[in-house]
């Protein structure tokens, strides 16, 4: 799509909810994708109960940590509940800190990586409320309409 010029890279953002947040982050590693947004994003497949029987080497190969060197200088915003027991608030926090630390080691003092923690909602604290979706879409608009 980028090659055919059907997508303008600087006016394109990707977003996802839960596993879609994982996919959005993964796609951020594409050279022409500059902006990603994740709502209650999966950041560690090992944390998910449904992946407990999957071979750990396969999960390591799919780890978002493998992509940090490709995304540390791009714009990423996550929203998560303060007690998300489905995907892990701590897992999202740890991942964002790893990106920030990597960026800092590459002379980026203020990386464009954000984590917004709000009160949890829904089953296992894994819900996203309408105001959060609105706030995220406003963030995307600010990124692509400059």
């Amino acid at each position: 799509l980028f090659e055919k010029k059907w997508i303008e890279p600087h006016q394109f953002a990707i977003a996802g909810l839960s596993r879609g947040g994982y996919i959005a982050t993964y796609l951020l590693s594409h050279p022409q994708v500059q902006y990603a947004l994740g709502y209650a994003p999966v950041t560690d497949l090992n944390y998910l109960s449904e992946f407990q029987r999957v071979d750990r080497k396969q999960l390591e190969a799919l780890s978002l940590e493998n992509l940090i060197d490709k995304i540390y200088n791009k714009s990423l915003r996550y929203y998560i509940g303060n007690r998300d027991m489905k995907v892990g608030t701590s897992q999202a926090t740890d991942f964002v800190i790893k990106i920030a630390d990597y960026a800092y080691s590459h002379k980026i003092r203020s990386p464009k990586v954000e984590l917004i923690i709000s009160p949890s909602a829904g089953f296992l604290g894994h819900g996203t409320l309408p105001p959060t979706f609105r706030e995220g879409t406003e963030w995307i608009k600010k990124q692509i309409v400059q």
Side-chain angles (χ1 to χ4, degrees), residues 11-135:
Q11 294 183 326
F12 173 81
I14 190 150
L17 170 66
S18 194
R19 287 186 180 97
Y22 168 89
I23 293 168
T25 306
Y26 206 93
L27 291 174
L28 186 60
S29 69
H30 185 282
Q32 292 183 284
V33 177
Q34 298 300 310
Y35 314 106
L37 171 65
Y39 298 104
V42 170
T43 56
D44 182 358
L45 296 173
N46 285 300
Y47 187 81
L48 299 180
S49 60
E50 49 273 47
F51 285 96
Q52 293 307 307
R53 295 181 187 216
V54 176
D55 177 39
R56 294 289 160 226
K57 288 187 181 190
Q58 289 178 321
L59 292 181
E60 286 175 24
L62 297 171
S63 173
L64 292 178
E65 289 185 27
N66 298 331
L67 306 175
I68 289 175
D69 64 329
K70 294 176 178 69
I71 66 174
Y72 75 96
N73 58 348
K74 298 183 177 186
S75 295
L76 173 66
R77 179 180 270 200
Y78 284 156
Y79 291 91
I80 196 160
N82 57 13
R83 192 171 188 279
D84 189 320
M85 300 307 292
K86 176 66 178 166
V87 300
T89 301
S90 295
Q91 282 62 30
T93 303
D94 291 347
F95 182 62
V96 167
I97 291 169
K98 286 176 184 175
I99 297 170
D101 287 345
Y102 187 89
Y104 188 84
S105 75
H106 284 79
K107 312 282 188 235
I108 297 175
R109 302 297 181 234
S110 296
K112 297 178 279 183
V113 179
E114 301 175 63
L115 175 65
I116 298 169
I117 300 174
S118 304
S120 285
F123 182 68
L124 296 174
H126 187 60
T128 303
L129 299 174
T132 302
F133 286 118
R134 283 191 290 279
E135 187 177 325

